Amino acid sequence: MLGGQTKEKKLVLSGKYGRYHGIVYFVGNHPNWTEIKKWTTFLEQESIKRKKYLKAYFVYGNKIGYSKSNRQIELEQLGKELKIENTALTFVPSSLAPNKFGVFF
């Protein structure tokens, strides 16, 4: 598994199966929305360019002020603003949750 990591975000090459690749971009507490928009736009462009050969995912795991309905609205607004159609936008209750589901770094 390849990728980069900082205290509040992780960018991970999720897998390589033949010619297919996946990228998971995790963001935790204290998100930098300017940076998130740049990365999400980049992942969207790469997904369009590489078509079925690249699947990109943005996983938002901010436990501060968590509300399922608010997170859903935030991601819907992000998707509309950036015209996201090929990158999955999803959330988990906290940035620790992905490890509970078998994603290891």
Side-chain angles (χ1 to χ4, degrees):
M1 208 176 270
L2 301 173
Q5 177 177 336
T6 66
K7 185 177 179 184
E8 292 298 329
K9 65 183 175 295
K10 298 174 181 140
L11 185 62
V12 178
L13 181 62
S14 65
K16 182 178 177 187
Y17 306 98
R19 293 184 278 172
Y20 301 97
H21 296 91
I23 296 175
V24 181
Y25 176 36
F26 290 102
V27 173
N29 302 332
H30 313 293
N32 178 333
W33 286 103
T34 301
E35 185 177 313
I36 289 168
K37 289 175 183 179
K38 287 178 185 176
W39 271 107
T40 306
T41 299
F42 171 76
L43 293 173
E44 178 71 4
Q45 292 168 349
E46 290 299 308
S47 292
I48 291 168
K49 185 169 109 179
R50 299 169 192 271
K51 300 182 182 174
K52 68 179 183 178
Y53 299 104
L54 177 67
K55 300 299 177 200
Y57 307 86
F58 168 63
V59 181
Y60 184 32
N62 185 353
K63 67 181 178 180
I64 299 170
Y66 175 78
S67 162
K68 182 179 178 180
S69 59
N70 288 345
R71 288 292 188 262
Q72 188 168 351
I73 291 167
E74 283 179 303
L75 293 183
E76 286 174 2
Q77 290 173 342
L78 178 68
K80 287 177 185 176
E81 177 184 342
L82 301 178
K83 297 179 176 70
I84 301 297
E85 295 183 3
N86 297 283
T87 301
L89 305 176
T90 191
F91 60 91
V92 292
S94 82
S95 60
L96 300 177
N99 286 336
K100 294 178 184 176
F101 298 108
V103 180
F104 301 99
F105 305 98

